[in-house]
Amino acid sequence: DQQVKQNSPSLSVQEGRISILNCDYTNSMFDYFLWYKKYPAEGPTFLISISSIKDKNEDGRFTVFLNKSAKHLSLHIVPSQPGDSAVYFCAASNTGTASKLTFGTGTRLQVTL
Amino acid sequence: DAGVTQSPTHLIKTRGQQVTLRCSPKSGHDTVSWYQQALGQGPQFIFQYYEEEERQRGNFPDRFSGHQFPNYSSELNVNALLLGDSALYLCASSLPNMLGHEAFFGQGTRLTVV
């Protein structure tokens, strides 16, 4: 049972445009959500997170939106840069188990020139 | 700050053998988690160690075991290896007292079982 789903395995965006990566979850106990970026031959790198008490969190070019009623979150990257090309993982946890993360299957983002 | 370090980076083992993977957490972190990432999948939680005890465990058989040392470093042991154990094994560390949701990952150990 996949509790965190990323239904788009890949996404291609032109440099300078907006990248939108989507994630859905089924477990209503999740109250904290994170995005990680992964380059080949490296471990995942923490990017941005959001608590369920918020619906938006921004950090520079990265913004995460959370829609609790739809059990949906999205990561916006504006403007997209070639260095953003990587696999992006959505992850979720709950306060009771903190850093035990449940990951989606990832979306490969390619930013083209 | 060296971050999370794992060793070895690559390993090839034969079915039925046993393997030990090692991890040193990020400075200031005392909680260590292990994840398995199969090809084309997201990382899957194996277990977590805090204060030298296994605190949480994912849906993995008893063939997977671990240990945490007083200096917070950790080992992952897998017995009776199966072909399906071939994966990238990731170690992650996080803030003390399990207060932090964010986990910081090492570069992983690529295990191939033949």
Side-chain angles (χ1 to χ4, degrees), chain A residues 42-103:
Chain A
E42 293 184 14
T45 302
F46 171 71
L47 201 54
I48 191 170
S49 62
I50 188 167
S51 163
S52 61
I53 62 173
K54 296 184 175 181
D55 54 19
K56 177 182 173 181
N57 188 27
E58 276 182 273
D59 184 1
R61 297 186 297 115
F62 302 92
T63 303
V64 56
F65 296 91
L66 175 62
N67 182 335
K68 289 187 291 294
S69 60
K71 292 191 176 66
H72 176 84
L73 62 154
S74 60
L75 174 67
H76 293 210
I77 306 174
V78 182
S80 300
Q81 299 174 354
D84 296 330
S85 297
V87 177
Y88 289 77
F89 290 100
C90 170
S93 66
N94 73 62
T95 302
T97 53
S99 52
K100 174 186 176 184
L101 302 177
T102 300
F103 283 85

Side-chain angles (χ1 to χ4, degrees), chain B residues 49-65:
Chain B
Y49 277 84
Y50 170 64
E51 292 187 334
E52 302 180 48
E53 289 189 14
E54 183 182 293
R55 298 291 178 167
Q56 303 187 75
R57 190 177 182 93
N59 189 24
F60 279 80
D62 292 345
R63 298 188 296 110
F64 289 77
S65 63

Side-chain angles (χ1 to χ4, degrees), chain A residues 2 31-32 34 36 38 41-46 49 87 89 93-106, chain B residues 31 33 35 37 40-45 48 56-58 88 90 94 98-108 110:
Chain A
Q2 192 73 22
D31 59 9
Y32 202 86
L34 309 91
Y36 282 82
K38 187 178 185 302
E42 293 184 14
T45 302
F46 171 71
S49 62
V87 177
F89 290 100
S93 66
N94 73 62
T95 302
T97 53
S99 52
K100 174 186 176 184
L101 302 177
T102 300
F103 283 85
T105 51
Chain B
T31 301
S33 302
Y35 291 79
Q37 186 180 11
Q41 301 296 316
Q44 286 206 324
F45 180 81
Q48 182 178 80
Q56 303 187 75
R57 190 177 182 93
L88 179 68
L90 295 161
S94 47
M98 300 170 65
L99 293 176
H101 291 265
E102 292 83 2
F104 295 84
F105 287 83
Q107 83 283 5
R110 172 73 61 187

Side-chain angles (χ1 to χ4, degrees), chain B residues 64-78:
Chain B
F64 289 77
S65 63
H67 188 77
Q68 185 178 35
F69 299 93
N71 67 353
Y72 310 130
S73 67
S74 176
E75 288 181 349
L76 164 66
N77 301 293
V78 188

Side-chain angles (χ1 to χ4, degrees), chain B residues 20-41:
Chain B
T20 298
L21 310 181
R22 295 176 176 82
C23 171
S24 292
K26 183 178 169 68
S27 177
H29 288 182
D30 63 1
T31 301
V32 174
S33 302
W34 288 91
Y35 291 79
Q36 180 195 66
Q37 186 180 11
L39 203 60
Q41 301 296 316

